[in-house]
Amino acid sequence: MGQAGPREEQRLATGIPGLDTVLCGGLRKGRMYMVLGLPGAGKTILANQICFHQATQGSRVLYLTLLAESHTDLVSNLQTLSFFDSACVPGNISYLSAFTILEQGGLDALAALVRKEVKAHKASLLVLDGLLAAEELAPSRQALKKFIHGLQVVTGLIGCTTLVLTTGGEKGLRAEHTMVDGMLLLQQRTFGVRTLRELSVRKFRGSAYKMGQHGFEITGDGLTIYPRLESMVDGHLVPGAGKNERAAFGVPGLDTMLLGGVPAGSTTILLGPPGSGKTLLGLSFLAEGARQGERGHYFAFYDAPERMLAQAAGVGLHLQPLMERGDLEVSFRPPTENILDKLGTELLTTIRSGRVRRIFLDGYEALRRASTRSARVARFLAALVNECRVREVTLVYTAESTTAFGPEVRFPLKGISMVAENILFLRLAELHSELRRFVAVLKVRNSGYDPSLRELHITGKGLRVGQPFAEGQMLMTGLARTRAPEPTPPPKPRRNVRKRAAAKAPLPKPRRNVRKRRGT
């Protein structure tokens, strides 16, 4: 007989979107976990959301509070959340206050009550809410350690998973933190006038977990965790060589410059100032993909679907039929206070769904504003680009250049080679007292391309890239000027006919002095 492999430990699903992903499968059954956070961080909602999820699965839950707050107030607040199910109370979920027992009998009386009630209710999940009260009434730190250890032994023997909620009290690591099997920290961070909620796993014995700070929000549905995108991408997956195919934009002239289009599965940045045609090029890219049987997704921040459709129709791009057939997906979120990892979760879901082959992300500036740490956006994009390469999804995204005119062009982020394999540069230039658009290909990885600068025409009949600018110079600086005309050679000097004729005529004979001769 072959040797049996290691036994896979059972997990307890939390039912909180994103949390089981962060915990790589959920809580380990029969273990004790501590949830820390200041008042208002979301500890009670998190614990109750897990309780109701387990109750709907048929498990029995004991929720024991050490707080002065009455259960009536607690249940009344929970009723506003969608996960609350009145049929579970008091059936599969039992709420019990132990504040008076703790106050009168101390930790020993509290420990005896927990043992009795867990066995009586046959609970598979225990929540102890308000450990701070036990910390304040404990005669010593050693007594508190003894209480935690005894609780851990009892619940572990009967296979009851335990959540202990506390504010954390003093700063720094304490003895009871080392005893539990895991620690979840809920925080509210303020960046300027903005507050962001974040969850981090400080410890999780016997299992892998997603490290770092993961954004979350509390809505009418409870908590939703958005795992940090960089932790979600599998660094062991190496992109293959890719297919020798091209993804065309469907813009006459531009695809010629790109020798048929950008390489399929690559990432392209459309860099240019406002009004240079970035969004229309991206929409044309999706429309051309739909015509070739490749479903696309428009990930928008600035234009709602109705406005986008009108804008595209104005240049001859009729996208409504593509949306109705399902060849084009559109998702829109206003560029307000977005959570970067929420955007990352939505993008990752789209990429991994296998539904789409092309994605147009409009644009980078919205991602930068969603991030509370500006240095992180490049790493976020690098992880996203790598995922697209692995899944062979062609990504195009827009980025605004910092200047519209002038001799200097700055990229909006550092390490652009890490987040874009292809770069198309769009710009406005003044020529003959009018603004003209032009496009140039700065980079196409592992491929040739036309390096000339060509005019981009946007008309009611569509987009078109014309011939190279033969009449302009210094277009890349935004300060265009026309070529100086070739100097005209000076005309040959005309000969003086009269002077030449006079030179050829014979000299007149001198007249004799008649008077002098006569006198002689």
Side-chain angles (χ1 to χ4, degrees), residues 100 144 214 306 377 416 443:
T100 303
L144 183 62
H214 310 280
E306 295 79 9
V377 185
I416 197 166
K443 171 187 174 184

Side-chain angles (χ1 to χ4, degrees), residues 45-245:
I45 296 179
L46 179 143
N48 278 279
Q49 199 168 347
I50 298 174
C51 290
F52 276 91
H53 177 72
Q54 284 297 308
T56 56
Q57 304 299 313
S59 300
R60 300 185 66 85
V61 180
L62 175 63
Y63 197 103
L64 196 148
T65 65
L66 303 178
L67 307 172
E69 180 185 22
S70 67
H71 290 154
T72 303
D73 293 338
L74 176 61
V75 173
S76 176
N77 293 332
L78 292 174
Q79 286 177 343
T80 62
L81 301 171
S82 63
F83 64 77
F84 181 84
D85 186 357
S86 58
C88 296
V89 183
N92 287 10
I93 302 179
S94 299
Y95 289 93
L96 180 64
S97 174
F99 179 76
T100 303
I101 298 295
L102 173 64
E103 194 175 37
Q104 296 177 353
L107 292 178
D108 291 338
L110 177 60
L113 176 67
V114 171
R115 290 194 296 268
K116 174 186 174 184
E117 295 297 335
V118 168
K119 293 178 180 179
H121 288 85
K122 298 181 180 179
S124 59
L125 175 63
L126 166 68
V127 177
L128 184 62
D129 191 355
L131 184 65
L132 181 61
E135 295 175 6
E136 293 174 346
L137 294 175
S140 65
R141 305 300 302 180
Q142 186 64 29
L144 183 62
K145 285 181 60 178
K146 181 180 178 182
F147 168 75
I148 295 291
H149 177 69
L151 182 62
Q152 198 169 17
V153 170
V154 171
T155 55
L157 287 174
I158 62 177
C160 178
T161 307
T162 304
L163 294 177
V164 179
L165 314 185
T166 180
T167 59
E170 303 169 357
K171 294 183 179 179
L173 187 66
R174 293 180 297 175
E176 58 270 24
H177 296 169
T178 64
M179 300 173 63
V180 295
D181 296 291
M183 292 172 54
L184 308 182
L185 178 63
L186 305 182
Q187 293 176 294
Q188 292 186 117
R189 296 179 179 271
T190 301
F191 302 90
V193 297
R194 182 182 177 188
T195 299
L196 182 68
R197 299 180 186 270
E198 292 178 330
L199 174 143
S200 58
V201 182
R202 292 292 181 86
K203 172 185 178 182
F204 203 68
R205 281 179 183 161
S207 173
Y209 60 91
K210 306 295 184 184
M211 300 183 67
Q213 294 170 327
H214 310 280
F216 74 92
E217 61 182 350
I218 300 176
T219 65
D221 296 325
L223 270 75
T224 301
I225 314 293
Y226 303 108
R228 190 170 56 91
L229 178 68
E230 297 91 316
S231 69
M232 293 295 294
V233 175
D234 191 346
H236 299 291
L237 294 178
V238 179
K243 300 178 181 178
N244 189 22
E245 298 177 358

Side-chain angles (χ1 to χ4, degrees), residues 345-405:
T345 298
E346 294 171 354
L347 282 166
L348 208 58
T349 301
T350 301
I351 294 169
R352 292 179 173 178
S353 66
R355 300 189 310 270
V356 302
R357 306 311 307 159
R358 298 188 181 200
I359 294 179
F360 174 42
L361 172 62
D362 190 21
Y364 164 79
E365 181 64 20
L367 296 180
R368 190 189 67 80
R369 291 183 178 276
S371 176
T372 54
R373 302 168 180 87
S374 58
R376 188 193 161 199
V377 185
R379 298 193 299 271
F380 176 92
L381 271 175
L384 186 67
V385 168
N386 186 73
E387 189 69 19
C388 287
R389 290 172 185 165
V390 170
R391 310 283 175 177
E392 296 184 346
V393 173
T394 309
L395 172 66
V396 172
Y397 68 94
T398 63
E400 288 189 1
S401 54
T402 55
T403 55
F405 301 95

